Amino acid sequence: MRVSSTRTGHRGRGPASLLLATAIAITAGGAVMIGHPDRAAADPIEECTATTGAVVAVDFTHWGGSVVRGCDAHPTTSMNLLHNAGFTTTGTEHDGPAFICRLGSGTFGNGVQYPTPAEEPCVNTPQATAYWSYWTAEPGQDTWSYSQFGAGTQKPKPGEVEAWVYGGTDVGGSSGVPAFTPDSVRAKNAASPSPSDAASASASASASTSPTVAPPATGDPAAAAAWLAGQLVHGDHMENWAFEGPDYPRTSLTALALAAAGTQDPALRKVVAFLEAHTDAFLLPDGPNGRPGSRAAALLALVAESTGGNPRAFGGHDLLAALTDHVCTAAGEDGKCTAAGDFLGAASPWVQALGVIALLRGDVTPPAATLARFDALRCADGGIAGAMIVPGENCESDPSNTALTVLALRKAGSADPTAQKAADRLAASQQADGSYLPYAGAPGGDTASTAGAAQGLKATGRTAEQAAAKSWLAARQNKDGGFGPDEGTTDSDPAATEQAILALTGTDPASVTHDLGSATQPPKPGKAPDLAKGSAYLTAPANLIDGHYYEAFPTFADFGLTIDGAYALAATGTDDAALRKIVDFLDQQGKDANDRTVNDWTGVGTEFAGGGSIGKEALLAEVVGRDPRAFGGHDLIAALARAVCAHADVDNGCAAPGNYLWATSVFSQSLGVMAQVRAGDAEHAAAPITYLKSLQTANGSWPSLIPAAGDSDVDSTAMAVMALALVPGDEAAQAVDKGLAWLAAQQQPDGGFPGAAGDSTNSAALAVQGMTLRQSTYAGRIAKAVEFLAGQQNADGGFDVATAGQQGSDVRASTQALGGATGISFGNLHRDLGTGTGTPTPTGSPTASSSAPDSPTGSASPSTPASPVSPSGSDSASPAPATSTTAGRGTDTAPASSGTRTANGSDSTGTTGSTGSADDSAGEPAGGLAWTGTDVLGLVVPALLLTAAGGGVLVATRRRTAAAPGRHR
């Protein structure tokens, strides 16, 4: 792939150079498309080095061009980096400047911006399969990361390189990675202004963490872990060609290997969450009334213990009790016992040893019979048998079983001769080349046996033998990072790779520890968010301007965010005056500085009317006691009914019958359903409800996007259960229960929940709202999540987007955190501004009627918001918050939300990411913040709006990232 640079003679850029000329096209409907069509003067590429400035590369190969790179010697934001590097941008009519729809460079196509108007009109948010995705690589990093922030909020580090690629990517950015490596376009130093020929040649290859040369003698466990993570199906589990469905044992062993490597935390979190969500299927293969399997109990307990979890409360089960309560007392018991002392169903000494190790790691003394059982499993040569034999049966020792038994007995502190004899046999059976034969007479060493033996050798202090085994393993690592089973079968194999990782890292099932909670910033102190202080942040004059929020661009109101703010104020009940001002602005069709009203955002009454956006507006009317059939000058309920798709027509905004027009995320679909059901329009809500149910996956979750992209998303699942909780019938109730079980299992050790931005404030808040529907079941998890939210609150009252990444209060994150912390479902939220008296309280799970929910069950002082209560009204108040002072970090400045498209399909304005859609900020869970989903399409663009010679420069950034600080609906 050819890589070129933008090179001009402009130097010494000062503030004046940031005044960019703009082109403003006024459409018939009053929407404004603002772009930056003129080429900016770029800093010479030589001004960027490995330690100063930043480089951005734009891939035009989709149109037959090359990768063009440019430099900004003094970047302030990534948006500035683009323009100062010589690129031009254009936004969309619907989203204004906060969305990059087109990019151009004077070095390609005579400066034409791509995609051309014929390919993409840039009226609404482009489709998720064809847009400019945004990637970054920090100094020294040679793999691309899907940016957690939009170009307007991302602040390039000295030596950083960024990339824009046209096409599509899945939720979370695990596909669609740039075809060139960061190193191929990075500025090396002042003396090497352009990539080398070798770097250019490598641009056509995907970035890889695999070794490209023979591995070092010690092997490369990080590369092995990267390969192993790449074998996960849907990113969270292993499967086996021999049978359909998940391979739970293999998935568990993969988790232990990834924990040992410590380099694949995102994948490890997904695997652990999958196992926790599927514990019943693995542990109880005979059904809920059957007896637990010892292999499953041991492996799952070890996964929990190795990653900072609780083996006594994993997937709803006490795994340690499942082991101690099911020890065989006689041979033949329940058809699953070879002899007394076996763990029920243990088919090999390997499983018996795992059970002992799991108990010891959980501070439980194994039953004496389980340890004594190893005496009968010892062969004459001192090794441990390959099967669960009884005295008198043929005994042939097996290196893997011998090694794990050594680990178990040593951890138990056993002085039994079996432990020492097994250790001696392990050392004596090593081959001259350092390997171990899987069985007597095998033609050569085997990876799994050698790796298992290396773990046992380390535990017994046989360092020379351990080193020889590791050296043999290292020499068999493939260039893709994985390991083959043996010398005759060299293709990389998960089972072999799992054991090799443990051996190469010097760990084993008895010692591997990688607390996932420590991989993120610990929560700041505090038990519950200070709701009054948070509301004050939202209503501060610098944030709420004339009843609406502008977020990034001073002339374009963010109507989706404005409604989010209203929801938060309604939930907390702390400032009715500010809430009424927002509602009046929307209801009376107030205009922003570009004469846009909420109707321009929803597209109501036009061919681009968005069901999600209309639903979001209608739901607000219902929340505050106004008539959604006469709000903002429109009958929003009738408009929603007209937006229900009768058949699939993807090109015109309908993914399937029952989908709302231009609702490209589960978030948007759920908002529409809630609005229709609360308005009592059961007839027209029936098809959307059916469609929403159909999107639930087998594991209980919902995806972020419509059509589904195969992911599972926290934000979308929370929204879907809130919507279906309003629907009568057992089918809907079962869907809610299944969804909540999956949702609860996603909780991180620190109480947070995974979103596109990482350990996300937005996702944790939505999860609290969802789990509060079954408060008695999830009270502990709710309390932990609320405490996590408190830890993200700053001294100014606002909230961070996530535990990692750029810190500082964010308006969008704060709207979600405040509303979510109350635990009130959007389906139940009610604060009637007609009287201005009722303090919002959760009304509990709806009574499964299609009518609007009851008014608040009581009133409280507006300054003391109520804690969530159980849906049935019988649960005690959740540990969620009244008002408490949170220790903040000081007056951090709030980063403006960027205009990126999050994995859930919402953009900064809250619009979904469907072409031609006028809806969607209305409910897209942006993987980054408030209302966006674990993955969402969010608009991220706190870009600069600078005035120059007759025009303001409006640059819209668009990237499909779940990390946008909180896009949603």
Side-chain angles (χ1 to χ4, degrees):
M1 176 180 293
R2 180 164 54 89
V3 181
S4 61
S5 303
T6 59
R7 301 167 61 88
T8 73
H10 180 81
R11 294 176 182 270
R13 173 174 291 99
S17 68
L18 298 177
L19 300 177
L20 308 174
T22 70
I24 302 178
I26 306 298
T27 66
V32 179
M33 177 161 63
I34 300 178
H36 177 57
D38 298 327
R39 181 185 177 196
D43 279 338
I45 199 70
E46 293 89 346
E47 290 197 0
C48 288
T49 73
T51 57
T52 62
V55 169
V56 61
V58 178
D59 189 349
F60 290 105
T61 56
H62 183 83
W63 297 277
S66 63
V67 175
V68 179
R69 69 174 190 162
C71 160
D72 184 356
H74 306 285
T76 54
T77 67
S78 295
M79 185 72 77
N80 284 342
L81 170 58
L82 266 175
H83 296 135
N84 296 344
F87 296 99
T88 63
T89 61
T90 292
T92 66
E93 292 183 10
H94 176 258
D95 305 318
F99 213 99
I100 287 183
C101 185
R102 296 194 182 105
L103 273 167
S105 169
T107 65
F108 172 63
N110 295 318
V112 171
Q113 291 186 344
Y114 294 91
T116 64
E119 297 174 271
E120 170 55 63
C122 292
V123 174
N124 291 287
T125 307
Q127 293 185 1
T129 54
Y131 70 98
W132 285 105
S133 61
Y134 174 39
W135 307 80
T136 65
E138 294 186 358
Q141 177 183 338
D142 200 33
T143 56
W144 292 108
S145 297
Y146 198 51
S147 178
Q148 292 187 5
F149 295 87
T153 47
Q154 187 77 27
K155 299 175 182 178
K157 297 179 180 178
E160 182 169 303
V161 62
E162 302 187 350
W164 292 80
V165 179
Y166 189 79
T169 183
D170 65 354
V171 172
S174 59
S175 66
V177 180
F180 50 94
T181 66
D183 193 56
S184 68
V185 293
R186 192 186 299 281
K188 303 298 189 302
N189 52 56
S192 75
S194 62
S196 66
D197 292 339
S200 297
S202 70
S204 62
S206 298
S208 171
T209 55
S210 310
T212 55
V213 295
T218 56
D220 189 346
W227 180 86
L228 190 61
Q231 309 314 302
L232 292 166
V233 178
H234 301 313
D236 59 11
H237 70 280
M238 288 292 188
E239 293 188 354
N240 193 313
W241 63 269
F243 55 85
E244 293 185 359
D247 185 334
Y248 297 117
R250 177 95 289 119
T251 302
S252 301
L253 291 167
T254 293
L256 294 178
L258 295 179
T263 57
Q264 295 288 327
D265 282 2
L268 178 57
R269 284 193 175 89
K270 290 180 181 180
V271 172
V272 173
F274 176 88
L275 290 170
E276 189 167 8
H278 294 79
T279 295
D280 283 359
F282 186 18
L283 184 66
L284 304 171
D286 298 328
N289 297 320
R291 302 178 77 179
S294 57
R295 179 177 63 167
L299 284 172
L300 291 173
L302 286 170
V303 168
E305 292 158 347
S306 299
T307 58
N310 183 0
R312 290 198 177 277
F314 188 89
H317 293 273
D318 184 338
L319 300 172
L320 303 183
L323 288 169
T324 57
D325 293 350
H326 296 90
V327 176
C328 300
T329 57
E333 182 182 336
D334 201 26
K336 297 182 178 181
C337 295
T338 303
D342 289 358
F343 286 112
L344 184 73
S348 72
W350 187 81
V351 173
Q352 186 80 4
L354 283 178
V356 169
I357 293 171
L359 291 175
L360 291 168
R361 292 198 63 170
D363 295 325
V364 174
T365 300
T370 63
L371 294 172
R373 182 71 173 94
F374 289 109
D375 293 339
L377 299 174
R378 190 181 77 212
C379 300
D381 62 7
I384 301 299
M388 298 295 281
I389 61 173
V390 294
E393 290 187 321
N394 178 57
C395 187
E396 183 176 317
S397 61
D398 173 270
S400 294
N401 288 342
T402 301
L404 200 64
T405 297
V406 167
L407 290 171
L409 294 179
R410 288 186 68 84
K411 189 166 185 66
S414 173
D416 190 289
T418 295
Q420 186 59 49
K421 288 179 181 287
D424 292 343
R425 173 59 187 170
L426 194 61
S429 59
Q430 187 173 33
Q431 302 300 296
D433 62 0
S435 70
Y436 281 78
L437 302 182
Y439 56 90
D446 144 286
T447 301
S449 299
T450 304
Q455 297 167 43
L457 291 169
K458 180 178 185 296
T460 58
R462 311 283 181 123
T463 56
E465 291 88 344
Q466 178 203 10
K470 289 178 64 176
S471 180
W472 185 89
L473 288 170
R476 276 145 188 80
Q477 186 167 21
N478 293 321
K479 290 185 177 181
D480 62 8
F483 290 79
D486 52 50
E487 294 177 322
T489 307
T490 58
D491 288 346
S492 294
D493 172 76
T497 304
E498 292 158 359
Q499 291 303 310
I501 290 173
L502 288 167
L504 292 177
T505 56
T507 56
D508 54 64
S511 63
V512 59
T513 300
H514 185 67
D515 190 338
L516 287 174
S518 66
T520 58
Q521 177 181 318
K524 289 163 263 184
K527 294 297 183 182
D530 186 329
L531 302 185
K533 194 172 183 180
S535 296
Y537 168 80
L538 286 183
T539 58
N543 295 325
L544 184 63
I545 302 172
D546 295 330
H548 51 287
Y549 294 98
Y550 280 107
E551 190 142 47
F553 288 87
T555 60
F556 282 79
D558 189 331
F559 292 101
L561 176 60
T562 298
I563 296 176
D564 292 340
Y567 287 154
L569 294 175
T572 61
T574 52
D575 195 335
D576 280 350
L579 174 59
R580 184 174 288 105
K581 192 169 186 178
I582 292 175
V583 174
D584 287 344
F585 172 78
L586 298 170
D587 193 6
Q588 297 168 17
Q589 303 175 62
K591 296 181 179 181
D592 66 9
N594 269 292
D595 289 332
R596 297 167 69 247
T597 72
V598 67
N599 297 330
D600 293 307
W601 174 68
T602 62
V604 63
T606 74
E607 63 179 310
F608 295 116
S613 301
I614 294 171
K616 185 172 185 177
E617 183 186 4
L619 183 61
L620 175 61
E622 294 159 348
V623 166
V624 299
R626 296 201 183 177
D627 186 359
R629 296 185 181 277
F631 190 87
H634 290 272
D635 183 338
L636 299 177
I637 302 306
L640 264 180
R642 291 192 296 271
V644 176
C645 299
H647 58 273
D649 184 358
V650 177
D651 290 339
N652 290 296
C654 289
N659 181 207
Y660 292 108
L661 184 66
W662 299 115
T664 58
S665 73
V666 169
F667 215 101
S668 290
Q669 186 76 16
S670 300
L671 285 167
V673 166
M674 282 190 274
Q676 282 190 302
V677 172
R678 287 189 61 158
D681 191 4
E683 176 185 355
H684 294 110
I689 290 170
T690 298
Y691 181 58
L692 181 61
K693 289 178 183 176
S694 75
L695 294 172
Q696 189 172 26
T697 66
N699 66 12
S701 70
W702 271 263
S704 58
L705 302 179
I706 295 175
D711 65 306
S712 293
D713 182 69
V714 168
D715 299 33
S716 301
T717 300
M719 286 298 294
V721 298
M722 283 187 247
L724 293 180
L726 295 171
V727 177
D730 291 341
E731 183 183 359
Q734 290 170 3
V736 170
D737 288 338
K738 190 174 181 181
L740 288 174
W742 178 87
L743 183 68
Q746 310 315 303
Q747 190 167 38
Q748 306 296 299
D750 63 359
F753 283 78
D759 205 357
S760 167
T761 300
N762 168 66
S763 299
L766 286 167
V768 170
Q769 289 173 280
M771 292 189 296
T772 303
L773 293 169
R774 302 287 188 270
Q775 184 174 359
S776 60
T777 301
Y778 301 109
R781 292 183 180 273
I782 293 169
K784 194 173 181 180
V786 169
E787 184 171 356
F788 168 83
L789 290 174
Q792 306 314 306
Q793 189 169 28
N794 297 308
D796 61 2
F799 291 77
D800 292 336
V801 171
T803 57
Q806 297 180 28
Q807 302 294 289
S809 296
D810 178 90
V811 172
R812 193 175 302 273
S814 300
T815 62
Q816 182 60 66
L818 286 174
T822 68
I824 306 174
S825 164
F826 293 120
N828 304 338
L829 181 59
H830 184 79
R831 184 163 185 81
D832 194 337
L833 289 179
T835 61
T837 54
T839 293
T841 60
T843 57
S845 182
T847 57
S849 70
S850 58
S851 60
D854 294 335
S855 57
T857 56
S859 63
S861 163
S863 63
T864 310
S867 298
V869 298
S870 109
S872 64
S874 61
D875 292 322
S876 59
S878 106
T883 53
S884 68
T885 302
T886 301
R889 282 191 307 263
T891 56
D892 296 341
T893 56
S897 289
S898 62
T900 64
R901 180 176 191 175
T902 68
N904 266 347
S906 66
D907 45 47
S908 90
T909 58
T911 65
T912 58
S914 128
T915 303
S917 126
D919 110 287
D920 301 341
S921 148
E924 298 302 49
L929 270 277
W931 309 140
T932 36
T934 306
D935 298 278
V936 180
L937 299 161
L939 221 221
V940 182
V941 263
L944 307 167
L945 192 275
L946 299 164
T947 309
V953 66
L954 307 163
V955 186
T957 309
R958 150 67 186 229
R959 71 178 169 75
R960 185 172 184 229
T961 168
R967 270 42 242 208
H968 73 283
R969 324 193 217 291

